[in-house]
Amino acid sequence: METVVGLEIHVELKTESKMFCACQTRFGMPPNSQCCPVCMGLPGALPTVNQKAVELGALAGIALHSQVQAQSRFDRKQYFYPDLPKGYQITQRMHPLCIGGFLSLPDSGKRIEIEEMHLEEDAGKITHRGASSYVDLNRCGLPLLEIVTKPMLSNGQEAYVFLNLLRDTLMMLGVTTGKMQEGALRVDVNVSVHEAGTPLGDRTEMKNLSSFKAVRAAIDHEAARQMKIIASGEKIVGETRRWDERGGYSVSMRKKEGEQDYRYFPEPDLPWLHLDPTGLEEMINRLPELPEAIQLRLIKIPGMAAEKAIQLSNAPALLACFDAAVKIAPDAKKILNWLLGDYRAIAKKNALLPDCPPFTPDQFAALMHRVVAENLPYKDARAELEAISK
Ligand code: ADP
Ligand code: ZN
Ligand code: MG
């Protein structure tokens, strides 16, 4: 049997103010110190769209090869919960900001396709302590980008690699802080199993996993659980399960709610969102080389392992050194040993930054040329590397 996984990722956008009001977004402030009538949904309060949030959402869309829509729109999703005083969440259901897209995994080159990406607002936070529950609405109305993948990941490890690439990409662009411990990136996983070539199986969902490692473990565990159930002749029930990270098991929380429960309708207080095509064009032109492209380019070099390509794609200064060196000393494996092995050891010893060497790419390349082309003995090369690492 095959495992099928789809991810829904909530990314907190890195803005100064909230999605629809001027409240601050700083993390860790005293409870309920960053709210106003708009994000608390008091009668008569009117939302206005945060332009920066839209720009960051569009930037993410471009980076993920998604079709950024010239026109999108907000809808109301109604539900009742104490962390949502408005009684509804403003989200994009019918006309999302971005449609389609993909990211390619470095090791296999497999394209993980994106269904859509939409803007929405976050809900507040509830903490249960003893017999009491505490409501903090500071998070209410924080800008989120929800990224929905197609059901095409095959196991926990693929999801793990995908999520790391996604986070690295979004962090490089300043779309999000990516800080999972602050809830800036939250992942829901959908898992099903089926016989290859047959329709997809019924899925279960696990929400708000707190780390990519937890995502990987939860997926593999859930797939094994489902396969066992099917092998025993029973059926999978569509439900939401909670992953217990300490115990390494999941428990059923509730049966899946139907779509109609939310009574979606167009948000009457917000007009259509129109994007300026020249603004998008400028964004595309300003884009740096992103981790996906770097990894795909590096992986083609003989002697380059996926894991090393990933490391370089997240360390621009090291990448510059590598790129300069491999041009005049075409031995990727040796260069990687010097850059990620010897230099980092020196950095550790002398309290230097492991990802930001003090030498220039040209200095490093010249040394590598002598190592590769002139067979400079290890001891001498090491001494020279130490000398330029000052
Ligand atoms: P819903 O509307 O109930 O949220 P969607 O069709 O929008 O369902 O899918 C939500 C997520 O679930 C997506 O990430 C999608 O890839 C994933 N998904 C859908 N069907 C399956 C399945 N059979 N197995 C695994 N994941 C699935
Ligand atoms: Zn507010
Ligand atoms: Mg959905």
Side-chain angles (χ1 to χ4, degrees):
M1 295 204 99
E2 281 184 355
T3 304
V4 176
V5 181
L7 302 174
E8 294 161 285
I9 304 128
H10 286 94
V11 178
E12 208 177 276
L13 298 169
K14 205 162 125 190
T15 59
E16 298 283 322
S17 57
K18 291 187 180 180
M19 187 69 222
F20 300 112
C21 62
C23 287
Q24 296 280 297
T25 57
R26 226 167 314 142
F27 181 80
M29 299 303 277
N32 301 306
S33 62
Q34 303 187 131
C35 334
C36 74
V38 174
C39 51
M40 290 191 299
L42 298 190
L46 287 174
T48 43
V49 175
N50 182 334
Q51 179 177 349
K52 177 82 183 182
V54 176
E55 286 171 4
L56 293 177
L59 194 55
I62 293 167
L64 270 54
H65 318 283
S66 187
Q67 310 255 326
V68 183
Q69 303 296 297
Q71 296 176 54
S72 62
R73 200 195 65 196
F74 293 95
D75 301 289
R76 281 191 189 179
K77 177 181 182 175
Q78 342 274 331
Y79 66 97
F80 174 77
Y81 202 67
D83 66 4
L84 187 77
K86 278 215 295 254
Y88 61 87
Q89 178 196 32
I90 304 180
T91 180
Q92 295 186 309
R93 175 75 188 170
M94 301 306 292
H95 300 276
L97 182 68
C98 307
I99 295 177
F102 65 88
L103 272 183
S104 311
L105 302 184
D107 34 7
S108 58
K110 177 174 173 182
R111 280 188 176 186
I112 306 304
E113 292 174 26
I114 308 294
E115 186 73 51
E116 50 99 2
M117 306 166 54
H118 60 264
L119 294 168
E120 61 185 31
E121 58 178 338
D122 209 345
K125 196 173 175 164
I126 303 204
T127 315
H128 305 286
R129 228 175 294 146
S132 307
S133 294
Y134 299 82
V135 181
D136 176 6
L137 300 180
N138 283 351
R139 211 177 64 184
C140 258
L142 287 191
L144 296 179
L145 183 71
E146 180 173 343
I147 303 173
V148 183
T149 77
K150 293 198 172 161
M152 60 185 300
L153 291 141
S154 305
N155 52 53
Q157 178 61 17
E158 257 186 28
Y160 182 80
V161 173
F162 172 80
L163 286 168
N164 275 295
L165 176 58
L166 178 68
R167 178 171 59 184
D168 293 341
T169 305
L170 297 179
M171 283 174 67
M172 181 186 268
L173 291 172
V175 168
T176 181
T177 65
K179 290 182 185 165
M180 296 195 73
Q181 66 280 16
E182 295 183 2
L185 217 150
R186 310 194 289 270
V187 185
D188 302 345
V189 303
N190 297 272
V191 180
S192 67
V193 298
H194 73 149
E195 219 57 78
T198 65
L200 293 187
D202 286 327
R203 70 182 197 258
T204 63
E205 180 183 48
M206 284 175 285
K207 282 186 173 293
N208 287 330
L209 288 142
S210 57
S211 71
F212 294 163
K213 285 202 169 111
V215 169
R216 179 167 62 188
I219 288 172
D220 291 340
H221 187 274
E222 176 58 13
R225 190 188 69 86
Q226 291 186 13
M227 285 183 194
K228 224 162 105 188
I229 290 175
I230 290 174
S232 75
E234 285 174 63
K235 281 203 160 75
I236 304 299
V237 264
E239 62 182 355
T240 300
R241 301 179 66 82
R242 185 178 61 80
W243 175 248
D244 185 308
E245 189 164 5
R246 280 252 202 92
Y249 59 85
S250 65
V251 286
S252 177
M253 276 171 73
R254 56 169 190 265
K255 299 274 167 287
K256 192 144 175 59
E257 287 145 46
E259 187 68 13
Q260 67 278 13
D261 293 349
Y262 294 123
R263 291 149 37 237
Y264 284 96
F265 67 81
E267 166 61 59
D269 291 336
L270 288 171
W272 280 84
L273 188 59
H274 296 274
L275 291 201
D276 165 22
T278 53
L280 283 178
E281 199 73 29
E282 271 168 37
M283 272 187 199
I284 293 170
N285 293 335
R286 276 202 311 265
L287 223 54
E289 188 185 22
L290 294 172
E292 179 196 40
I294 297 171
Q295 291 171 15
L296 290 178
R297 148 170 97 71
L298 291 180
I299 202 79
K300 291 198 194 110
I301 300 172
M304 177 69 69
E307 171 238 331
K308 300 273 194 273
I310 292 171
Q311 284 183 40
L312 286 181
S313 73
N314 291 306
L318 292 181
L319 178 64
C321 289
F322 176 85
D323 282 341
V326 81
K327 256 186 232 150
I328 56 170
D331 186 335
K333 224 172 182 162
K334 251 192 198 144
I335 297 171
L336 288 171
N337 280 340
W338 282 100
L339 204 52
L340 302 177
D342 289 83
Y343 169 66
R344 281 185 164 169
I346 293 168
K348 194 162 180 198
K349 200 175 67 189
N350 301 336
L352 301 169
L353 295 171
D355 284 351
C356 280
F359 44 78
T360 66
D362 286 345
Q363 278 178 306
F364 178 72
L367 176 59
M368 286 303 106
H369 179 70
R370 293 176 53 211
V371 168
V372 172
E374 296 165 20
N375 275 320
L376 187 65
Y378 176 79
K379 245 182 68 202
D380 298 348
R382 173 78 183 214
E384 282 203 27
L385 188 66
E386 303 228 5
I388 59 174
S389 296
K390 287 224 165 87

